[in-house]
Amino acid sequence: MSLHPFSQRPRYSQWFTAKPQTVVVQPTTWCNLDCTYCYLPFRRLKHEMSAEVSDALAESVAAFADGAHPIDIVWHGGEPLALGPRKFTALLTPFEELRRVGRVRHYVQTNATLITEAWCELLTRHEFRVGVSIDGPAALNSQRVDLRGRPAFDRIVRGIDRLRVHDIPFSVIAVVGTDGIDHPEELLDFMAGLGCRSVGFNMEEAEGINTDRQQPTPEQAETFWRRTLEWSRCHPGELEVRELEYLGEYLRMIRAGQRVDWDRRRLDPIPTVSWNGDVVLLSPELADTIDAEYGNFLAGSVLDRPLTDILGGAHRLRYVQEFLAGLEGCRAGCEFFDFCRGAQAANRYFENGSLATTETNYCRVTRQALVTALSTVAAKEKEETV
């Protein structure tokens, strides 16, 4: 049974920021690829965001965006570039004044296959930060195929080449499944050669409609992270690895006596706005998830209420209350909590069936295995110096 909503507001505020740092926006549900591990249920449907939704969203964002702390608008699909430059520009127009004065900044996560000269001009004009999805060299990128089952690797690399010609910096997100888990050095060498500024490794997860494929084990993940740490130490400055940077930041702050500052950090509610204006909170992966028991995770619609009102009522949502219970359980019982912070709502739901649960395979392969890998590397180095 959920607690009285008034008692939930201070509880929510203990964990979450008063305003979001990131707003995820889905300009279209459609994607031109059909990756075998994709979690999106409606990627074959060509739903597209209207100008009405974009206008309402920009008005909402203007209410809490300021120049000191710009809001990151992350355009995420489907494949955002499938909308085409003309339609995409129309969606960006309501945000343009906010962008020019530094109150918002745009990000896009793309498979890069549709990047053209026109797209490069648009990305440059609106000062986009670009993230590209590619899983490694051709043999390790084999799960990323088009609608006819044809490998997308050459088209992805061609798009990346266009970004480089236009001097558009980009980062990479790579899904690491059973194909790549045993080849970290090959992955890292490839990513360094691409010219990206950073890479994030997403261990393949059971979420959305991707529930039947084999996931990396904690043992495989620990070996992967250990070898990644060793590669990074042998190649200083060549490639920033997102997960290592996060762990490094934690260790630096603790060693510098900044634990209080680390502990004061709050989670981002990460409002995700679907093509039709519907808003879900906590995890973008919960968007388009059908579950009547949780009201399909809907927190509201920007066509009916501004985001400030929707977020102001977040503590009343059953799934948010359950997630808070899960966080409290993590804090009480997990030795990794101080670093991890326990914040992965979608994994709790898709793996365990409840947001009130604690440990997930995501925790084991992405957070716990990383920490134990660092411990192993440190112990090995200590032995070698004795």
Side-chain angles (χ1 to χ4, degrees):
M1 179 181 296
S2 62
L3 300 175
H4 193 280
F6 289 117
S7 68
Q8 292 293 292
R9 187 187 294 273
R11 184 185 182 210
Y12 175 87
S13 299
Q14 289 177 2
W15 290 98
F16 285 97
T17 58
K19 69 175 186 178
Q21 299 166 320
T22 300
V23 178
V24 178
V25 186
Q26 181 191 56
T28 179
T29 56
W30 191 72
C31 185
N32 63 316
L33 296 188
D34 192 23
C35 303
T36 57
Y37 51 66
C38 185
Y39 64 87
L40 296 171
F42 302 131
R43 63 183 186 273
R44 298 282 70 81
L45 302 179
K46 291 190 176 182
H47 295 309
E48 297 179 349
M49 181 172 284
S50 67
E52 181 185 14
V53 172
S54 181
D55 287 341
L57 176 57
E59 186 176 346
S60 277
V61 170
F64 54 77
D66 59 67
H69 302 284
I71 304 298
D72 294 337
I73 308 297
V74 180
W75 300 87
H76 201 335
E79 168 50 49
L81 273 56
L83 202 62
R86 181 180 60 82
K87 290 182 179 179
F88 202 90
T89 298
L91 297 184
L92 295 173
T93 298
F95 294 92
E96 188 57 10
E97 182 57 32
L98 295 172
R99 183 194 67 80
R100 286 174 179 165
V101 297
R103 295 172 65 188
V104 304
R105 54 189 177 189
H106 291 298
Y107 289 75
V108 65
Q109 188 65 35
T110 175
N111 61 42
T113 61
L114 301 177
I115 292 176
T116 60
E117 295 297 307
W119 272 115
C120 288
E121 291 170 7
L122 183 153
L123 296 171
T124 300
R125 184 166 63 252
H126 293 275
E127 299 180 299
F128 265 84
R129 281 78 171 170
V130 179
V132 173
S133 300
I134 183 171
D135 299 337
L140 300 181
N141 195 69
S142 61
Q143 306 298 319
R144 301 186 63 76
V145 296
D146 66 15
L147 301 177
R148 297 183 181 179
R150 299 173 301 186
F153 178 78
D154 290 343
R155 282 167 280 175
I156 297 172
V157 172
R158 185 165 61 244
I160 289 173
D161 288 341
R162 288 199 175 107
L163 292 176
R164 296 177 66 174
V165 166
H166 286 264
D167 294 321
I168 299 174
F170 65 97
S171 59
V172 163
I173 291 179
V175 174
V176 181
T178 54
D179 288 346
I181 193 69
D182 296 325
H183 304 279
E185 295 86 2
E186 186 177 351
L187 279 172
L188 291 158
D189 288 340
F190 174 79
M191 297 303 178
L194 276 183
C196 59
R197 59 186 179 185
S198 67
V199 61
F201 291 120
N202 290 351
M203 298 291 174
E204 185 173 342
E205 306 165 35
E207 59 187 10
I209 60 173
N210 181 38
T211 57
D212 298 328
R213 288 167 51 84
Q214 183 179 353
Q215 301 172 60
T217 67
E219 294 75 20
Q220 289 176 313
E222 182 175 348
T223 300
F224 178 91
W225 292 122
R226 175 180 57 76
R227 290 164 61 181
T228 297
L229 282 160
E230 292 170 346
W231 184 96
S232 295
R233 294 190 176 190
C234 292
H235 301 78
E238 286 192 28
L239 181 67
E240 180 180 298
V241 179
R242 178 188 61 190
E243 290 76 15
L244 303 192
E245 290 297 310
Y246 181 68
L247 177 57
E249 181 186 18
Y250 165 72
L251 293 173
R252 286 190 296 272
M253 291 186 70
I254 299 305
R255 290 168 178 168
Q258 298 175 316
R259 172 173 291 280
V260 172
D261 294 330
W262 178 264
D263 290 341
R264 281 176 179 163
R265 291 189 176 188
R266 296 293 179 262
L267 304 175
D268 193 331
I270 318 177
T272 297
V273 183
S274 295
W275 64 277
N276 60 358
D278 287 345
V279 179
V280 303
L281 305 178
L282 306 186
S283 288
E285 295 83 2
L286 294 175
D288 298 328
T289 299
I290 306 300
D291 188 328
E293 188 173 354
Y294 289 103
N296 297 341
F297 297 99
L298 296 181
S301 169
V302 294
L303 294 177
D304 300 327
R305 292 188 293 156
L307 273 179
T308 48
D309 286 359
I310 293 172
L311 290 166
H315 62 282
R316 300 188 183 95
L317 297 170
R318 174 185 166 184
Y319 74 93
V320 173
Q321 293 177 10
E322 290 188 6
F323 181 59
L324 294 175
L327 290 176
E328 290 161 353
C330 287
R331 182 173 58 186
C334 180
E335 63 180 318
F336 296 92
F337 177 80
D338 194 48
F339 162 63
C340 174
R341 317 303 288 181
Q344 293 298 330
N347 297 99
R348 296 168 191 258
Y349 173 75
F350 290 114
E351 289 188 36
N352 301 335
S354 169
L355 281 81
T357 58
T358 55
E359 187 176 86
T360 64
N361 194 59
Y362 172 87
C363 300
R364 292 186 284 271
V365 300
T366 302
R367 292 288 189 254
Q368 297 176 18
L370 176 59
V371 173
T372 54
L374 177 61
S375 178
T376 299
V377 170
K380 179 182 177 182
E381 291 180 347
K382 184 177 181 179
E383 289 178 3
E384 292 174 348
T385 58
V386 174

